[in-house]
Amino acid sequence: KTAMQIVEIMKVVEARHPVVMATRVSAEKSAEIQAALPQATYFEMARICAIQPSVPLAIRPGKLSILTAGTADLPVAEEAAVTAELCGFQVTRLRDVGVAGIHRLLSNRHVIDQSDVLIVAAGMEGALPSVVAGLADCPVVAVPTSVGYGASFNGLAPLLTMLNSCATGIG
């Protein structure tokens, strides 16, 4: 969509809902959108342009944690985190806790134990969601990313790993 198409859509939605989001927005497009809609905020890492209510939404119940295997997975995870926060959820972020440095994940076991839902983003071979689901007693949303080197095949390898996980509670 063009920036002006996004502006028109955001205007229509803003009249009906306190939160409006446009995802996968480049910095250049966001500048155009913000020129037309000064109330819009741009979340650069998440690539989200949003209009938020003047009064924050009530905090929704439940604890949502978002984990990334590596720093290259951050944009995908941040898109999920910002979306959840805009909808009123409390979010805890654990970054760079992949299986290559499993001690970083295990030293944050308390976050996993206190979470009601875990969103786990991973590229490369996509093993982190399976490991996390083996530790957790809550739903785990596995998110493959298309980053990585070697034979990740633009995200196909992590997707297949996540689809073939034997861990319970993973989707």
Side-chain angles (χ1 to χ4, degrees), residues 25-149:
V25 176
S26 68
E28 297 78 22
K29 268 189 195 171
S30 80
E32 291 181 59
I33 294 167
Q34 288 176 300
L37 298 169
Q39 70 273 35
T41 303
Y42 185 59
F43 299 88
E44 187 173 4
M45 171 113 26
R47 298 185 310 163
I48 291 176
C49 195
I51 298 173
Q52 302 172 70
S54 54
V55 176
L57 296 176
I59 294 175
R60 293 182 183 267
K63 184 74 171 175
L64 174 65
S65 296
I66 301 179
L67 291 71
T68 62
T71 54
D73 303 312
L74 285 174
V76 172
E78 199 57 21
E79 182 178 1
V82 169
T83 298
E85 288 171 338
L86 288 170
C87 292
F89 290 95
Q90 294 178 307
V91 175
T92 299
R93 293 164 172 84
L94 289 181
R95 298 173 170 159
D96 199 21
V97 293
V99 297
I102 198 124
H103 61 284
R104 293 187 297 267
L105 176 66
L106 297 176
S107 68
N108 285 288
R109 177 73 191 263
H110 63 285
V111 174
I112 294 169
D113 293 341
Q114 295 168 359
S115 297
D116 296 305
V117 175
L118 295 157
I119 297 174
V120 184
M124 295 302 293
E125 82 282 2
L128 183 62
S130 293
V131 172
V132 170
L135 297 170
D137 64 354
C138 64
V140 174
V141 178
V143 181
T145 65
S146 58
V147 297
Y149 50 87

Side-chain angles (χ1 to χ4, degrees), residues 3-13 37:
M4 287 308 110
Q5 288 171 327
I6 295 170
V7 166
E8 291 306 313
I9 292 167
M10 291 180 91
K11 285 179 181 177
V12 170
V13 176
L37 298 169

